[in-house]
Amino acid sequence: MNAPLQYPTEVASDCATTRETVLARYQNVRNQTEALCQPLEPEDYCIQTMPDVSPTKWHIAHVSWFFETFLLIPFLPGYSVFNERFDYLFNSYYLTHGTPFSRPQRGLLSRPTVAEIYRYRAHVDEAMRQAIMNLDESQWEAFANRTVLGLNHEQQHQELLLTDIKHVFAFNPLRPVYHEAKPTTVPTHSAAQQWVDYPGGIHWLGNTGEAFCFDNETPRHRVFLNDFALASRLVTNGEFLEFMTAGGYQNPEYWLSEGWSTVQEQGWQAPLYWEQLEGRWWSMTLSGMRPVDEHEPVCHVSLYEADAYAHWAGKRLPSEAEWELAAIQQAIKGNFRESGQLHPRAINTEQTPAQLYGDVWEWTQTAYSPYPGFRALAGSLGEYNGKFMSSQMILRGGSCITPQSHIRPSYRNFFYPGDRWQFSGIRLADDR
Amino acid sequence: MNAPLQYPTEVASDCATTRETVLARYQNVRNQTEALCQPLEPEDYCIQTMPDVSPTKWHIAHVSWFFETFLLIPFLPGYSVFNERFDYLFNSYYLTHGTPFSRPQRGLLSRPTVAEIYRYRAHVDEAMRQAIMNLDESQWEAFANRTVLGLNHEQQHQELLLTDIKHVFAFNPLRPVYHEAKPTTVPTHSAAQQWVDYPGGIHWLGNTGEAFCFDNETPRHRVFLNDFALASRLVTNGEFLEFMTAGGYQNPEYWLSEGWSTVQEQGWQAPLYWEQLEGRWWSMTLSGMRPVDEHEPVCHVSLYEADAYAHWAGKRLPSEAEWELAAIQQAIKGNFRESGQLHPRAINTEQTPAQLYGDVWEWTQTAYSPYPGFRALAGSLGEYNGKFMSSQMILRGGSCITPQSHIRPSYRNFFYPGDRWQFSGIRLADDR
Amino acid sequence: MNAPLQYPTEVASDCATTRETVLARYQNVRNQTEALCQPLEPEDYCIQTMPDVSPTKWHIAHVSWFFETFLLIPFLPGYSVFNERFDYLFNSYYLTHGTPFSRPQRGLLSRPTVAEIYRYRAHVDEAMRQAIMNLDESQWEAFANRTVLGLNHEQQHQELLLTDIKHVFAFNPLRPVYHEAKPTTVPTHSAAQQWVDYPGGIHWLGNTGEAFCFDNETPRHRVFLNDFALASRLVTNGEFLEFMTAGGYQNPEYWLSEGWSTVQEQGWQAPLYWEQLEGRWWSMTLSGMRPVDEHEPVCHVSLYEADAYAHWAGKRLPSEAEWELAAIQQAIKGNFRESGQLHPRAINTEQTPAQLYGDVWEWTQTAYSPYPGFRALAGSLGEYNGKFMSSQMILRGGSCITPQSHIRPSYRNFFYPGDRWQFSGIRLADDR
Amino acid sequence: MNAPLQYPTEVASDCATTRETVLARYQNVRNQTEALCQPLEPEDYCIQTMPDVSPTKWHIAHVSWFFETFLLIPFLPGYSVFNERFDYLFNSYYLTHGTPFSRPQRGLLSRPTVAEIYRYRAHVDEAMRQAIMNLDESQWEAFANRTVLGLNHEQQHQELLLTDIKHVFAFNPLRPVYHEAKPTTVPTHSAAQQWVDYPGGIHWLGNTGEAFCFDNETPRHRVFLNDFALASRLVTNGEFLEFMTAGGYQNPEYWLSEGWSTVQEQGWQAPLYWEQLEGRWWSMTLSGMRPVDEHEPVCHVSLYEADAYAHWAGKRLPSEAEWELAAIQQAIKGNFRESGQLHPRAINTEQTPAQLYGDVWEWTQTAYSPYPGFRALAGSLGEYNGKFMSSQMILRGGSCITPQSHIRPSYRNFFYPGDRWQFSGIRLADDR
């Protein structure tokens, strides 16, 4: 039996506990959220193009509501709620806290205006500053830990804000540009795919929970794996086009039953955001419409498409345990939001397997379920992760719009197998 | 056989044809549209709370598209289209002109922004000004007549803009106020209802089409009516509450079959915008939430509710011919948009029947269908009215948000029998 | 002003009142219902292929329920209800009588079996026989009149039973045959269409109500008509194919707005039951699949298609008043159910206009609404017709599956403008 | 590491290979199917009360189609297909074989009749008899193995036939009785629940595939388990009523997010088929309506309800590996279909854990996914199991309507977490 591998120590740095460090981190994350909104007009903040998408202004209000509800009201004596009605409007899904406003109708509210929501943010920021600096020492640790949770929560909404505004802009026939991507100096080519072998046996999976992590990453526990191999890089657009050309979207034999039904009902012919214009494929990006680059990783595919591609290729998707075993052996580097591209890019490293972190979330074949011995957080925050453990699938590794500091090897993202509007892609695996 | 009654001569004044008059009228109507938008924030312009509602910014772009498409492009040499994509975005339903953007998704577009749409309006206004002042004399009459159509069209959208923003604000849990109503000096009471008798026989119905009117008001033709009576005023909130108290919404015997199904499926218990708070009824108005005033005319009821009320009361709704016969004998006065109330008000006149004009559109028992010999306008403008002549019902008389200059005795409004978001109410009729 | 035309005297014969005559008629109509079921297997009785269709066994139970509920229970002392639960299962839509079982789910009930329902029929028949022969004289007239209503009701369900079983068999990929049509000796050709002119003026419309008729045919009243013309025969399949070939189903300019939406949503390309097989058109009939005969009247078209065809042809549909004015001048002869064809056939008469009666129900441009002074029947039977007076359109003249004795010039049939599963067709009209 | 446990040897007896044995087993299974249909009327065979339910006649035709398609056509020279159209009508979901008739519309077909489908069965049976007895020796093994698959397939449809007819009868307001249950001599009480501990470590999971099993039970592989405990018996109606009384269906804190949404949308207040009549709970059974017996295992609950109950009880559901580890140590005995009860019954054994086999399928917390190294069957039969490996959950152990010979410890059943019409119940598990 293999010895449990240690998690890289930089993960622990997450858990800063001096008041100055927490305040700095708080301000940093909050500023990043607002920076992401810089390119937007007031009208852009209001739109919800499908039930899963939230308007930008809802995101930036909701993350403030989170601090108000779970930090300021319980911890800060005399805190004055900004607006009593916001608890109804900006609660997402904490049913034991209260009944939230209907999710698919978030885009039907013009008020509060964007300006008012920024005043709300400022009100919360000022109160958080006071709480961080002045809270009684007896409460500090609990408060600091929960603040770190709130900041990780806000980082998740930073990513959602970008996936959602991309959906909003892609829906619009005018195809607006969110930002002009930084020119990249990366050579655009795709290395030949190779296989990296891993030995099976008993391995440890999950996080110890000492540094910050979400409850669903714990407890650390043992799993038995067979020998396996991972592809040395992500599946590229060029490879996915081969699948398309081979009739991938027309042939039920490659597909899960639900996947094939979805292909038929939705009329899928290509990844989300792809359009064929005058004989060639284009796709919508946060920098507007661009020709599909065959060297870049394929993105905006569902689990169904990932699984069908793997089936067609005679391979399979990795399990989350296999992925984590590989990832834990690498430093957390890659094409994250900090690169300023906000788009996956062709491989530019000799490391294998490459692209484990960043670029696109990698679908696994593992359904999202509780780790053995899982205990959700106490109180309403227990609804954060645990209640979603049905019908969803695990994705791993972060994407080009994930903040680098947000990711760990043990990080479990989860979406429905038919979801495509996240930056999700494909890495192949195989038995050995 | 009765001699055909003459329409009041002020109707003809509609059809002004000097260039200065047309320009003045153009600028007046266009300014009114913009004035109606004054209370709105950019976010308010974007919202579509149900498929029938259009976002404010769509309304103000669409009416400009109407001038661009049907006036400027065909008539003004060298006219430069503001944005080629707008033809797709702001065409409403002119299918022979082109395929319009999906109506229920108008609220999913953040771009063009409100500011850009105002630039579009300014561009069109300047071109219209040039065309009105400089167009060749040979084209003037056709151009002037169609401009008057465009202005009447814009007035219709002024009314829709208000009904739609009311829906948007009523949907919002914050119940925003559109404007503070002018204080009214009208005594708030409801006179006892009386009956006004009319003799039957052959009567002329419809407009001669000499002054401006819509195609669906023509041709003028004869109908045979039995003797009948009209109620001297509109049904009030107080009277409608009696129907509610008597179990009106719980008893199928009063209802059309489709009406009862709608009551069940929609859970109707009261007119639209009514809410019971701590034991009394309130309703949403353009001035915010207000207690229901029992002397005011009931408003925001469907044809189904109007018909059920009439059935319960042992009466019926008037036919459109009966209504027009009564209306043609009166001057066009009443509580129109110009009163600044934007809300129906209790009767304040000795005239009987009172409230024929203004306050609320009056549902008739007449289905919307072509008059004998009806011919739609030529070309795409033929789609303006004729293609809607199925399944809808006629309403007459204008409302408190209709511009007074927009209304004629022969004016035919039409909505589906289940529609409630217009300012629609009830006048009873009876046989004699 | 024209003198009121008299209705043909054979209509009055409907209203037989001796006990023997009523019993004979009762047994005759009931036997016809059962004869219509002869070709069916028990499985065929159970199927509901769309919400508007009812299973055969529901029809034959419901018509018995009608006699039990409206005749036997109120009139026959000591009548023993066959099964208490049937009141719930076989009430159609009499809400003031009780809550009926969900209409779209009628096809989900295997029990009661067909055999049990026939026992129910026999039970009702025996009780009706006793009531007819022995009821106290004081009640006889009321009972006899209502029995005639019940028999007309059963005749309506005879027609529905056939339209519904046709839908059931047409849905089945095996395309079962209901019956082999009698060979017809009628020459199959279509005479050239001509126009028959009618003078306008005041005309009487509706039934006096002295002989049996439905409440919606009364009261007799005056209407004013312009001069008009009716086509000398029905529109044929060949003519409708010209419309199809000319792009009729692809061009919105001919269509009502709702009609065009329906064409798009339902993918209509031809009348209901038409299929293109190896380059030619076939249609499903009660005698199985047959090639479309271009001389036969087009059938199974909606009001939308009828209106679009008329629009394309530069004509219009008749109003119900125009149709009745023409029909009242003819004897009631034509291709009714008694011909044994159960299918419309090519014109075979010199009479003009031909085919007013039988073959296909003729869509009119008139919305179904109450005649001036209309009063529904008292009690729950008041729901029979009156509550459906919204959103539906009038059809006139009966069809090839209507019993001849069921039809009158004043008979008003009504369906939704998108309905196609009735035997409905097109006659053109024009202004003069 | 634990040594791999051996599967009980009686499982291997499944794989009989002499021609006589196969024929006997074939005839036995086929006869059982027909025996299950004995209580049904022709009308009962036709009904589909929801998309998941298939009409009885579809089941009995489909299992014959399976033999025709996968055995007779490929193996029996000169086999004459009974009806060419049946391939379309009775293919269930083998898309690589052909396009099947629409599943939710199976209940809309009256033809072929029940009698014709029995003729189809007889035709297939005769051809199978000939093939079994006369097939060339070179093909025998492949044919025999696939025949065993076909018989296991038919046994699955025997269970579905009963679950589906129960749904059909429960939907019917007359609540028909399928059969009168045999009187049971079992004392009706529920023993106190105890816990049975199991040691963790590496365990083997899955079937070797030497005797018959489905592809999804292979390959045999190792898993690592923590120490755990299983409840000594199933959760009873009485215990589930405590959950209900404690507000279980009203409190979101116990529920998965999807589960709570389902509770709201479907209005769930109790297990499927429970009704409260005059203050006490009844439930529909195959023997008609019966009072809920608090000692019997709760049945017809979804995974959502099972999980919510476990959450409320402070426990969890077992994983499928935990369940199999316990089950492999027991003989396969229990309340199966052979008991003639067709209903779960109170515990009547001293064995612990009791009721692992029979009574109700036990929901596990394990999502249905491929075992490591899984390979589906070749050809269209590869669609049998593999393509359903998303969004569904594993159930184990068989039920009171499962044939005993059909079950193995490694048997994996799977349904969607919201499904309730199967005989599914709850066993609790806990960590140690």
Side-chain angles (χ1 to χ4, degrees), chain B residues 24-35 60-65 67 120-125 128 151 154 158:
Chain B
R25 178 136 188 240
Y26 177 87
Q27 289 171 336
N28 180 261
V29 170
R30 297 283 284 179
N31 288 345
Q32 284 171 7
T33 301
E34 299 185 8
I60 65 176
H62 165 67
V63 292
S64 301
W65 168 89
F67 286 111
Y120 178 38
R121 285 183 70 85
H123 175 89
V124 166
D125 285 347
M128 281 296 294
L151 293 172
E154 183 140 351
Q158 288 170 359

Side-chain angles (χ1 to χ4, degrees), chain B residues 190 233-245 271-272 274 281 283 290-301 309 343-346 360:
Chain B
S190 48
R233 58 161 173 74
L234 295 166
V235 170
T236 63
N237 287 324
E239 288 163 340
F240 199 81
L241 274 162
E242 288 176 46
F243 167 71
M244 289 166 59
T245 305
L272 183 64
W274 286 36
W281 285 102
S283 78
R290 298 202 330 203
V292 166
D293 180 335
E294 65 179 26
H295 300 292
E296 289 173 1
V298 68
C299 188
H300 296 298
V301 290
Y309 177 85
H343 192 71
R345 66 187 178 201
V360 295

Side-chain angles (χ1 to χ4, degrees), chain A residues 39 41-44 46-49 57 85 88-89 101 105 107-115 168-169 171-174 176, chain B residues 39 41-44 46-49 57 85 88-89 101 105 107-115 168-169 171-174 176:
Chain A
E41 300 289 343
E43 293 89 338
D44 298 327
C46 300
I47 308 296
Q48 178 172 34
T49 35
K57 74 175 188 180
R85 307 303 305 273
Y88 171 54
L89 294 178
F101 183 76
Q105 298 183 311
L108 303 185
L109 303 181
S110 59
R111 310 290 177 95
T113 62
V114 173
V168 167
F169 282 2
F171 180 85
N172 194 311
L174 304 177
Chain B
E41 300 288 344
E43 293 89 338
D44 299 327
C46 300
I47 308 297
Q48 178 173 34
T49 35
K57 74 176 188 178
R85 306 302 306 273
Y88 171 53
L89 293 178
F101 182 76
Q105 298 184 312
L108 303 184
L109 304 180
S110 59
R111 309 291 177 94
T113 61
V114 174
V168 167
F169 282 3
F171 180 84
N172 194 310
L174 304 178

Side-chain angles (χ1 to χ4, degrees), chain A residues 303-316:
Chain A
L303 178 278
Y304 297 135
E305 288 156 303
D307 185 81
Y309 177 84
H311 198 142
W312 170 80
K315 307 299 174 193
R316 63 172 175 83

Side-chain angles (χ1 to χ4, degrees), chain A residues 258-415:
Chain A
E258 286 183 324
W260 183 248
S261 299
T262 308
V263 165
Q264 302 296 299
E265 288 164 16
Q266 305 291 324
W268 288 354
Q269 305 272 359
L272 183 63
Y273 300 139
W274 286 36
E275 283 176 82
Q276 207 162 16
L277 301 170
E278 297 173 7
R280 74 166 299 182
W281 285 102
W282 291 68
S283 79
M284 181 64 177
T285 75
L286 285 166
S287 306
M289 292 296 290
R290 297 199 336 199
V292 166
D293 180 336
E294 65 178 27
H295 300 291
E296 290 173 1
V298 68
C299 187
H300 295 299
V301 290
S302 62
L303 178 278
Y304 297 135
E305 288 156 303
D307 185 81
Y309 177 84
H311 198 142
W312 170 80
K315 307 299 174 193
R316 63 172 175 83
L317 301 178
S319 70
E320 70 167 324
E322 290 169 342
W323 189 95
E324 186 167 325
L325 174 62
I328 208 166
Q329 304 175 31
Q330 291 195 4
I332 302 172
K333 289 181 185 167
N335 176 22
F336 286 109
R337 194 180 78 203
E338 288 78 0
S339 78
Q341 297 300 313
L342 310 190
H343 193 70
R345 66 187 177 199
I347 188 174
N348 70 336
T349 168
E350 297 302 309
Q351 186 180 42
T352 57
Q355 300 173 313
L356 278 174
Y357 294 111
D359 285 312
V360 294
W361 289 98
E362 303 179 20
W363 284 109
T364 72
Q365 64 170 209
T366 306
Y368 180 40
S369 63
Y371 283 165
F374 168 68
R375 291 287 173 271
L377 294 177
S380 288
L381 286 170
E383 296 185 56
Y384 199 111
N385 281 310
K387 72 179 182 182
F388 299 110
M389 291 175 175
S390 65
S391 309
Q392 306 202 48
M393 299 298 285
I394 293 289
L395 304 99
R396 292 295 199 118
S399 80
C400 55
I401 60 164
T402 310
Q404 178 161 352
S405 65
H406 187 63
I407 282 296
R408 293 167 294 283
S410 61
Y411 195 101
R412 306 175 84 196
N413 200 356
F414 49 91
F415 280 94

